[in-house]
Amino acid sequence: MNTIACFGDSLIEGFPFSPENSWIAQVKKNTGIRMLNHGICGECCDDIKDRLIWRPLPKEVTHVLFEGGMNDIIQGCPLTFSIEQIKLAKQFCDEQNAAFCLVLPWLCGAEELNHLIERLREAMKKEFENKCYLLDFEPMFLTKKHRMEWFIWDGVHPKAETYEALGNFASPLLEKWIKET
């Protein structure tokens, strides 16, 4: 059985709810893929990379999913620093023979952040396209007229039903990724 270790920030963890309500849990429910939730609220890409590198991956882990960048934006981390941390995480996964998936940040209901999110998305695509699997939720968010309908009051964190929708969207994509790697 394939196992995906999911490293990231609050968007992996399932904040403001619990890991049991995260999109990771929904993928597991839909597919039966073993999904390990290693999301920690507030972490930046360097924190996520450090936890990945310094925490031994269980032998059954065949795939690693990395979702980070929003906190880097909020905390003013240089874009080049964030990208370098993700490169180091991917390099580690390559050395461990674990397939690497980078989750692209989605635009949010906090409009003032979206130009920075776009910059990060473009930098990630430029650096990682054709080098790893890129999971992009953005097409899902285009299905509602008002983006804020997807998020809680802060405009960044998904509502409970949004986490469920994220998991439903990601399930067939991650099944295909596993099958192809």
Side-chain angles (χ1 to χ4, degrees), residues 65-127:
L65 186 144
F66 186 105
E67 181 174 10
M70 286 297 288
N71 291 315
D72 294 61
I73 289 171
I74 293 166
Q75 294 184 26
C77 294
L79 183 61
T80 54
F81 178 78
S82 302
I83 296 297
E84 184 60 30
Q85 299 309 302
I86 300 168
K87 283 170 65 174
L88 292 169
K90 183 191 176 307
Q91 179 183 345
F92 172 79
C93 290
D94 290 347
E95 292 166 0
Q96 302 298 308
N97 294 315
F100 188 79
C101 171
L102 177 60
V103 179
L104 297 174
W106 52 74
L107 301 179
C108 63
E111 294 295 329
E112 66 277 10
L113 295 177
N114 285 340
H115 72 282
L116 297 171
I117 295 169
E118 276 291 349
R119 281 185 57 223
L120 180 57
R121 285 174 56 82
E122 291 309 312
M124 287 175 165
K125 288 178 194 176
K126 181 179 178 184
E127 181 60 43

Side-chain angles (χ1 to χ4, degrees), residues 31-171:
T31 66
I33 298 169
R34 186 162 182 237
M35 305 286 286
L36 306 177
N37 189 326
H38 298 295
I40 296 184
C41 222
E43 288 200 331
C44 292
C45 289
D46 60 329
D47 302 312
I48 298 165
K49 179 262 309 172
D50 288 346
R51 278 190 308 111
L52 169 63
I53 290 174
W54 297 112
R55 169 188 235 141
L57 288 176
K59 290 180 182 169
E60 67 271 13
V61 170
T62 55
H63 296 73
V64 172
L65 186 144
F66 186 105
E67 181 174 10
M70 286 297 288
N71 291 315
D72 294 61
I73 289 171
I74 293 166
Q75 294 184 26
C77 294
L79 183 61
T80 54
F81 178 78
S82 302
I83 296 297
E84 184 60 30
Q85 299 309 302
I86 300 168
K87 283 170 65 174
L88 292 169
K90 183 191 176 307
Q91 179 183 345
F92 172 79
C93 290
D94 290 347
E95 292 166 0
Q96 302 298 308
N97 294 315
F100 188 79
C101 171
L102 177 60
V103 179
L104 297 174
W106 52 74
L107 301 179
C108 63
E111 294 295 329
E112 66 277 10
L113 295 177
N114 285 340
H115 72 282
L116 297 171
I117 295 169
E118 276 291 349
R119 281 185 57 223
L120 180 57
R121 285 174 56 82
E122 291 309 312
M124 287 175 165
K125 288 178 194 176
K126 181 179 178 184
E127 181 60 43
F128 296 101
E129 204 154 39
N130 301 317
K131 295 179 184 173
C132 67
Y133 185 70
L134 298 179
L135 178 56
D136 189 1
F137 287 105
E138 192 55 35
M140 184 194 92
F141 287 103
L142 300 176
T143 62
K144 286 191 179 175
K145 187 175 182 180
H146 300 289
R147 188 167 288 267
M148 191 58 197
E149 293 175 29
W150 291 105
F151 303 99
I152 63 169
W153 61 269
D154 68 4
V156 174
H157 292 95
K159 293 178 178 178
E161 58 269 21
T162 305
Y163 276 120
E164 184 177 341
L166 288 163
N168 291 338
F169 181 87
S171 291

